[in-house]
Amino acid sequence: MDRETPETVGMCQAAFAGVSVNSRGLDPVVLRDQLFELWNRTDLRTLHLAALQGFSKLSQPLEALLTILEGCPGKQKRRSHTPGHHILMEFLTWVKKHPQVSLSSLSEQQALELQQRALSLIRETQTNFVDNLINIYQLNSLDPAILLLNVMKLHDLHCYKEAAALSIKLKLQKELNMEEMCVPLILQNKLAMAESFVTGHNHLEQQLVTLLDSWCRPGFREEEISKRFPHLSVTKQGMSLIHPKIVTKHVFRLVEKFNIDQGLCPNALHKRRLDSLRFLMYKRFVEKTMTDENWSDHVQYVVADDSELQIQLVELLVKYCGCLSKASQWSLRYDIPRNRLPFGVWETQQSLPPDLQQMGLRDSSKTEEWTPSRSHCQTFYQVPLDKENVHFVASPEALRRCRNIVLKEGGIVGVDMEWQPTFGCISTQQVALIQLAALGQVFLLDLCASGFCQHPDTIIFIRSLFSERSILKLGYGMSGDVKCLISTWRQLLDEPLKMEAVLDLLNVHQKIQRRKVNRTQRGPREVVVGKNQQAEKGLSLLVQQVLGKPLDKTEQMSNWEKRPLRISQIRYAVADACCLLDVYSVLSSDPAHFGLPADLRSISSSRSEKNGDQTQRVKQATEKEECQGAQRVSPRSSDTEKGLLCGEKPSEDTPPQPPQQLRVVCDNMLQGLGRYLRCLGVDVIVLENTDDHRVAAKLAQAEGRFILTCGQPFHSLRSQVGEGRCLFLDCSEKARDQAVRVLRHFNVQLTPSDIFSRCQACNNDEYAAVPRKDMARMLQQKGFLQDQDNIDHTVQQQDEETLGDIPTPSVTPEFSRYVQCHWAPLSGLDPDTLTFPGGAPIQLHAVPPAILPRIPLFYVCTRCGKVFWEGSHFGRVLSMFQDVLHVADEDTRSAAAAQQD
């Protein structure tokens, strides 16, 4: 809190010197002018004292406040840093000490008049005024009809976001038409606001989901929206936001968020299943990475009893594999009518032998051998156990034998889990199998066995295993396992699972990968995949890097709920648990070789502590969404993951680096972040709204960039570029705060000279410096300059005073803030077309001729031709990122001068 020093008190008294205060109190217009004058002088300390004293001298403070705010300049700029906002904050400070100042002290008519004025002010001013004005003038007590009228006035003025925000503040959602309010928001890329509008109102939540689902139906045309809402001016970009693929993702997210029955969204469910079917066709017949058994299991799950999908399956089989016999078998299985069959399928049906007309898969679990082929052994990591040491646990008796071995004090247990892939058709997945490797044996807990999953002894055993401090539990990506455990046993929400002595090897792997990236950043990348093999990722990549061979992931996408399991499935499940013990053994025996500390547990000690409370956080989040309808645009990462990826502190082993060395690609949900980072000198490519997220992966792979994302494609992108190369940020944070997180995560040393070292429009870092007289000549040449005689005289006079004898063809600024830029000579500029060698013309149309007298030097991007000049923007950016700036002695003077501009 500011202290009233004699100096500030004297300045405050001087501000009110000569101002008369009559019996009616201080004139609010006079007070407003005095406060504006102090604001323009940026004397905020004196303004604070003057405001507190001035409010005390007003006869009607509530009325006077409205008079002051109504006369504030810039109230429509949607900024918080305005004089009106500052004065309002000062009034709130003052009124806390004067509780007698309230509407209750006024007559009913006077109070109503002030409330009407406050409502009008809300319609014209920025959103951050709303809460305070509602509280000060008790607007919730007004007649709902009056409040609705003001909301609709905003809506009729096409201020859709403001109308929705005001209705939320005044709790009027039930009185308004959901479609009328939300459709314009969705088309303006403000779905989050539409979600806020319906949150907490079950019938509105269902209406929004049903509306979005209707846009996913086959044959839906965008023109239907234009006919339904003829007053809306729908742009091409707006229409791109309602593409069925995008809308389907939103439908499933909202179904989970609002806990809505999937039966309300049949169109989105059909589309998701159709997309999953096409994905399965690609994996089986194009990529050829899925076995026929796995493919058949998943196809039956995806198609289910949807007759249209069954027909699509037969059509896709003809298209992808051209095998009419296989298509005929499936058409017979689903009894598809003859008139819906593709050409040739009916005839093939008639020619099939009787034994092929009935589809039946061979029971490979009886024919497979435990020991795989020699080529398999040479290519992949092998289970170091005989089949006799693999035990199925499906009863309390078998669980007791497992408990006696796994829970031995001082032991090390490899833990892994499997669940049925749902391809996004179901949001939560339940564990089907838990693998525990310990003391040369592997126990497979079959949670699909009747009565075993929910048996009290099973849950007690799981709690005992994870809470026992004397037993080290090894896993990889344990956060996903814990989430599925909670879906399997809902009682873990009420009594959270306690996690002790858990080492997530994903954290260890990320540290190894960061070391590899730092070591090979300037040289060729290390080849970590075998010949003719796809790039390994995740646990398979770690196993290859440490043990020499990757895992065989063919059975990863199996139907883990179908019994009996095939030998290949059992072998895969056992390998996933056993390899954790082998990897840990190698890493712990020689940690220095992999750039790790001697105590591997120290790598994830902070994470393990936080993971102990993970189920409690999930419970709190669930309760918050159920009770308060909390917003969550996309599934949030845990606080631990967020801190790991883009935390407050620099990543371990990350040396300090200038912004120019950091190269990133921002997805189209982080365009604001991209602009800020580019403004600070970071090499940034920002995806357009129409770009597919896979473009980010291609750019990252081709140019060695990090991916910054906050959307649902995070896991897909991360798998394509490797550990540590794709970072997730919180969508709810402001772009400025996201930028600070990125700078700290990469240990970027930002200096004033980095600011504006890149073109904000095209990311180029090369400029041409154009003196004022040359800019005037160019403007005149292209016909953009009028009143030439007056301007010529002013320019000549200013040039003589400021620039002197600057050699025009090769001007290079002497300001220390621009040392990071590259400078091109003007001699490369075509004198006739005024274009640079790359073909970009100077954007002269964006240069106001009126600024020539006060701007001595202009800076032109040589790639896109955009023109920049010195202004107050540099000082504002400097102030915004003051807490992450590294200002050297030589920078101090220029930084201070910039902040005074």
Side-chain angles (χ1 to χ4, degrees), residues 329 333 358-362:
Q329 287 180 306
R333 179 187 183 91
Q358 297 295 326
M359 280 192 58
L361 295 175
R362 60 186 179 90

Side-chain angles (χ1 to χ4, degrees), residues 775 842-844 846-847 858-861 864-869:
M775 182 59 69
I842 299 181
Q843 299 181 24
L844 296 171
V847 181
F858 295 84
Y859 311 97
V860 185
C861 173
C864 69
K866 190 173 180 63
V867 183
F868 303 88
W869 56 86

Side-chain angles (χ1 to χ4, degrees), residues 441-723:
Q441 301 186 69
V442 174
F443 296 90
L444 304 178
L445 276 62
D446 187 3
L447 300 189
C448 294
S450 177
F452 179 65
C453 178
Q454 297 302 327
H455 194 283
D457 290 350
T458 306
I459 304 175
I460 292 172
F461 170 73
I462 294 298
R463 290 188 183 277
S464 301
L465 172 64
F466 283 100
S467 63
E468 181 54 59
R469 293 187 176 184
S470 65
I471 300 175
L472 175 63
K473 280 76 65 177
L474 303 175
Y476 191 95
M478 294 293 288
S479 61
D481 294 339
V482 171
K483 182 179 178 181
C484 289
L485 282 176
I486 295 172
S487 299
T488 306
W489 290 299
R490 302 301 293 180
Q491 53 265 54
L492 295 181
L493 286 174
D494 301 322
E495 187 180 349
L497 187 66
K498 188 177 181 182
M499 306 281 280
E500 298 285 354
V502 175
L503 176 59
D504 193 337
L505 292 179
L506 171 61
N507 303 326
V508 179
H509 193 194
Q510 287 174 334
K511 189 173 181 64
I512 294 174
Q513 291 295 91
R514 286 196 296 269
R515 176 175 174 267
K516 287 180 176 294
V517 169
N518 292 335
R519 186 179 60 195
T520 63
Q521 192 170 22
R522 297 182 181 275
R525 296 186 179 182
E526 182 178 2
V527 178
V528 293
V529 296
K531 184 178 180 181
N532 298 326
Q533 297 292 328
Q534 292 186 337
E536 301 299 331
K537 57 186 178 182
L539 178 59
S540 181
L541 175 60
L542 176 62
V543 172
Q544 184 183 42
Q545 290 172 329
V546 177
L547 303 178
K549 296 179 182 179
L551 294 172
D552 180 5
K553 307 297 285 187
T554 305
E555 296 291 348
Q556 183 178 31
M557 293 181 62
S558 296
N559 183 354
W560 291 101
E561 295 180 358
K562 183 179 179 180
R563 296 295 181 269
L565 294 175
R566 297 186 300 276
I567 293 295
S568 57
Q569 285 181 292
I570 299 173
R571 199 165 50 223
Y572 169 85
V574 171
D576 263 15
C578 285
C579 71
L580 298 171
L581 298 177
D582 292 343
V583 167
Y584 177 77
S585 176
V586 173
L587 293 179
S588 58
S589 64
D590 189 9
H593 175 74
F594 296 92
L596 301 173
D599 183 9
L600 297 183
R601 302 190 195 191
S602 65
I603 297 175
S604 57
S605 58
S606 60
R607 183 179 180 90
S608 297
E609 293 170 4
K610 293 185 179 180
N611 270 344
D613 298 326
Q614 182 168 354
T615 53
Q616 182 65 31
R617 289 199 301 273
V618 173
K619 175 185 176 183
Q620 292 172 351
T622 303
E623 291 175 348
K624 187 174 182 181
E625 290 188 8
E626 292 175 353
C627 301
Q628 302 175 6
Q631 294 185 56
R632 182 159 55 87
V633 176
S634 59
R636 291 186 182 274
S637 301
S638 67
D639 293 338
T640 310
E641 183 180 6
K642 179 178 174 182
L644 173 67
L645 296 180
C646 286
E648 297 294 340
K649 297 180 180 180
S651 303
E652 294 182 29
D653 300 334
T654 302
Q657 61 177 323
Q660 291 74 22
Q661 288 187 10
L662 178 60
R663 310 184 74 208
V664 302
V665 52
C666 291
D667 72 10
N668 42 33
M669 297 181 68
L670 291 175
Q671 293 177 346
L673 167 64
R675 287 191 291 269
Y676 269 124
L677 291 177
R678 189 178 286 172
C679 170
L680 302 176
V682 177
D683 186 348
V684 182
I685 293 179
V686 183
L687 298 190
E688 299 295 335
N689 290 330
T690 55
D691 287 336
D692 188 275
H693 68 269
R694 286 171 290 189
V695 175
K698 293 179 180 179
L699 288 170
Q701 294 167 351
E703 302 179 14
R705 296 179 180 272
F706 290 89
I707 299 177
L708 305 181
T709 180
C710 69
Q712 292 179 340
F714 166 64
H715 295 289
S716 172
L717 291 171
R718 182 174 61 175
S719 68
Q720 296 180 59
V721 296
E723 301 295 340

